[in-house]
Each structure stands twice: as structure tokens, then as C-alpha cells.
Amino acid sequence: MKCVVSVLGKDRSGIVAAVAVALADCGANIDDISQTILSGMFSMTMMTTLNPEVADFDTVQARLNQVGEDLGMQITIQREDVFQFMYKI
């Protein structure tokens, strides 16, 4: 299952590592990544592939929510088809 992960918050050390470790622990693969820092605000978008045999969508979402709380950041995950539908004109 393809998913889009978005991360937003105040820049600090270890953000990419924490999110990547959480995804790896859930058996997910990072297919593509884009990140930027604007005036101290960190923004990252990842295209990922989940492995439902290791962790289903809800499990990955819960894990990323915990990482977001730990980092003081907003982390969201959306299924790619829902993400694409939301931004269709």
C-alpha cells in the first residue's frame, strides 16, 4: 500500500531519523523523500510503501502519532489514493 507521510514543525536534530526508524520498525519502505527548512520550520514529505503483513495502516499511523508527540511535531499519513483524490482539480 502506497502512502504519503507529511511532517511539519520546528526544526531540530533527529527528525528524519526518528520518522525513518518508526517506518522501518513497521516494515515500511521510504520510496521518495523531500524536505526543506523555512525560517526554522521543518517540512518533509515521504512517499512510502507499507507492508500490511508486518503492520497495517492503523498501526503505522499510531506509531507515527507517537513519534510526532515525542518530537513536538505534526505527522500525518494518508493513503496515496486518498491523497491524490483530495488534490484533483
Side-chain angles (χ1 to χ4, degrees), residues 16-74:
V16 177
V19 174
V21 166
L23 290 169
D25 288 348
C26 292
N29 186 58
I30 299 169
D31 302 321
D32 202 358
I33 183 172
S34 174
Q35 64 184 30
T36 190
I37 301 169
L38 297 170
S39 298
M41 290 299 293
F42 178 88
S43 174
M44 177 171 65
T45 305
M46 298 173 149
M47 179 63 70
T48 63
T49 302
L50 303 189
N51 182 350
E53 293 177 8
V54 178
D56 63 13
F57 180 87
D58 292 336
T59 301
V60 177
Q61 185 175 42
R63 177 82 158 105
L64 290 174
N65 286 341
Q66 183 60 56
V67 171
E69 286 181 27
D70 293 346
L71 294 173
M73 304 193 80
Q74 176 185 346

Side-chain angles (χ1 to χ4, degrees), residues 69-86:
E69 286 181 27
D70 293 346
L71 294 173
M73 304 193 80
Q74 176 185 346
I75 302 178
T76 58
I77 183 170
Q78 295 176 299
R79 291 173 177 88
E80 180 189 29
D81 56 349
V82 173
F83 182 85
Q84 296 290 353
F85 183 77
M86 285 176 43

